[in-house]
Amino acid sequence: MSRVYNFSAGPAVLPEEVLKEAADEMMDYKGTGMSVMEMSHRSKAYDTIINEAEADLRDLLSIPDNYKVLFLQGGASQQFAMVPMNLFQNGVGDYIITGQWAKKAYQEAKLYGTANAVASSADKTFSYIPDVSDLPISEDADYVYICENNTIYGTKFKTLPDTKGKILVADLSSCFLSEPVDVSKYGLIFAGAQKNVGPAGVVIVIIREDLIREDVLKETPTMLRYKTHADAKSLYNTPPAYGIYICGKVFKWLKNLGGLEAMKKINEKKAAILYDFLDQSKMFHGTVVEKDRSLMNVPFVTGNEELDALFVKESKAAGFENLKGHRSVGGMRASIYNAMPLEGVEKLVSFMRDFEEKHTAQAD
């Protein structure tokens, strides 16, 4: 069977080149006589894998020397707790609620102190990014928190909030490495790997060194302290070794493409093909305010639930997988991450055009 076009929001499509390399090395990684899956994380071979992965990520993002890179487990959702546990000094976090994941992080922070919702787009089903130029930032806030790209709702911060001098913490899970980022504008960035970087099971944390503290909330388990992992260079316990190996291959793939500036241009081209069609279509329409549209996640609807269901069914039969929208919003969603080829988006739009002609004719 040939490969499908996988529009899943995560775990998501990976570069074929990376999958083929991993397949070639599955039984014998570089003459070791074993798979990376079987390899000790304390071995010399694995030490090279994780160190190269970090070095390549630092190159891609031009990560300043005063930031640590951590390869952790527990997914982005575990960071919802680790952030307040480690960063609360005054016990206050200000949250901008732009979707389900920001809301979950906000609710989690309430378990450990005070979480303030300083802005929200819940009033219009998270279809836009609120104005973040002059927020009521709390004087005693330890940080301001955003989910920069909202996977379910298809919105993206194009301008970072004015935090009024407070640390910015950002969940970049669904836009990580899709475009250049000025890491120095953030105190802490985290991203689940399973959307743009690798398989599920790895979360990458980029944290400024002064935020790696001894004086965290006293109930914080050893495994949930950033210092534990920073001191051990992500090897305090057995890491998600194979997942990190795949991430490392994706980093090299991105560097070979020309880095994040090149990747951004490709992503803009792919997104434009789909958004341009949605903007002129009589049947399909996007659900996001134009200026806040994500390059990565594109939700759309027909306005008719039966037609939406038929589209999902027929698109699957045609080799387009995972186009059903998130259960909380319905409709459709195309996640067009880095590894989705341009051809996949072109073929999807062609299918959508044919579907529209066919079913408009039926309706007439």
Side-chain angles (χ1 to χ4, degrees):
M1 180 183 172
S2 60
R3 279 174 63 77
V4 297
Y5 289 110
N6 180 11
F7 292 92
S8 172
V13 60
L14 284 166
E16 283 194 20
E17 189 179 311
V18 166
L19 295 175
K20 285 172 181 172
E21 271 185 29
D24 288 343
E25 293 172 348
M26 178 58 79
M27 299 296 287
D28 178 10
Y29 177 74
K30 296 191 174 179
T32 60
M34 68 180 90
S35 170
V36 173
M37 224 180 265
E38 307 167 289
M39 191 178 285
S40 167
H41 61 295
R42 307 289 180 197
S43 67
K44 188 175 179 182
Y46 193 75
D47 202 46
T48 301
I49 288 170
I50 195 168
N51 287 338
E52 276 190 18
E54 179 177 337
D56 287 338
L57 181 59
R58 284 185 175 278
D59 281 352
L60 282 165
L61 282 169
S62 302
I63 298 174
D65 291 341
N66 65 324
Y67 284 73
K68 295 283 191 191
V69 172
L70 308 176
F71 296 101
L72 306 179
Q73 300 178 70
S77 294
Q78 186 153 287
Q79 294 306 305
F80 300 167
M82 281 184 79
V83 165
M85 281 177 160
N86 285 267
L87 300 191
F88 270 174
Q89 297 285 293
N90 300 321
V92 179
D94 283 359
Y95 284 71
I96 300 169
I97 314 295
T98 50
Q100 185 165 314
W101 303 114
K103 187 178 177 183
K104 285 189 173 186
Y106 162 70
Q107 290 167 336
E108 191 74 7
K110 286 182 172 181
L111 299 176
Y112 306 103
T114 301
N116 302 308
V118 293
S120 172
S121 53
D123 62 324
K124 293 184 179 174
T125 325
F126 301 118
S127 59
Y128 70 101
I129 297 291
D131 181 1
V132 292
S133 60
D134 186 21
L135 297 168
I137 303 297
S138 312
E139 281 186 26
D140 56 351
D142 292 306
Y143 57 81
V144 176
Y145 181 104
I146 62 170
C147 180
E148 195 159 319
N149 187 87
N150 296 284
T151 322
I152 294 173
Y153 300 95
T155 58
K156 167 77 164 65
F157 281 80
K158 304 295 171 68
T159 305
L160 294 177
D162 179 356
T163 64
K164 300 182 180 175
K166 304 299 182 185
I167 296 158
L168 179 63
V169 173
D171 175 355
L172 263 62
S173 292
S174 54
C175 60
F176 192 58
L177 302 187
S178 63
E179 60 184 23
V181 167
D182 183 351
V183 173
S184 68
K185 290 183 177 177
Y186 305 77
L188 188 154
I189 288 168
F190 67 86
Q194 73 276 13
K195 299 172 186 295
N196 243 350
V197 188
V202 183
V203 60
I204 296 165
V205 174
I206 302 167
I207 179 171
R208 212 171 62 211
E209 286 178 347
D210 62 297
L211 302 178
I212 301 170
R213 302 182 177 118
E214 290 271 14
D215 59 334
V216 299
L217 295 187
K218 69 179 191 312
E219 300 87 357
T220 305
T222 303
M223 276 293 290
L224 298 187
R225 295 171 185 247
Y226 292 126
K227 193 171 191 315
T228 299
H229 301 286
D231 288 351
K233 298 183 177 178
S234 300
L235 296 170
Y236 173 75
N237 68 323
T238 309
Y242 195 80
I244 295 166
Y245 154 78
I246 298 291
C247 290
K249 287 198 175 295
V250 172
F251 301 157
K252 288 192 188 299
W253 174 77
L254 282 165
K255 287 178 79 172
N256 290 338
L257 272 179
L260 300 188
E261 286 286 358
M263 192 71 250
K264 183 184 183 186
K265 286 177 184 164
I266 294 167
N267 286 330
E268 286 174 338
K269 188 174 180 182
K270 286 189 296 189
I273 291 167
L274 185 47
Y275 284 123
D276 287 352
F277 171 73
L278 290 171
D279 288 344
Q280 59 82 42
S281 170
K282 290 184 172 64
M283 176 179 284
F284 299 99
H285 59 271
T287 58
V288 173
V289 170
E290 187 172 342
K291 69 180 179 61
D292 298 326
R293 285 171 168 175
S294 166
L295 293 179
M296 297 284 98
N297 310 100
V298 184
F300 57 96
V301 295
T302 64
N304 178 313
E305 286 186 11
E306 287 181 11
L307 207 52
D308 286 354
L310 183 64
F311 176 83
V312 171
K313 182 182 176 183
E314 290 193 3
S315 64
K316 183 178 174 69
F320 303 99
E321 285 284 344
N322 297 305
L323 282 166
K324 188 176 182 179
H326 190 272
R327 60 188 177 277
S328 65
V329 291
M332 286 76 69
R333 172 182 53 180
S335 292
I336 50 176
Y337 297 126
N338 287 352
M340 172 56 66
L342 184 71
E343 174 192 85
V345 181
E346 289 173 339
K347 288 194 172 180
L348 172 62
V349 166
S350 177
F351 175 82
M352 291 170 75
R353 190 172 281 116
D354 290 346
F355 182 92
E356 180 169 345
E357 286 175 10
K358 177 176 153 188
H359 292 285
T360 301
Q362 282 180 358
D364 293 344

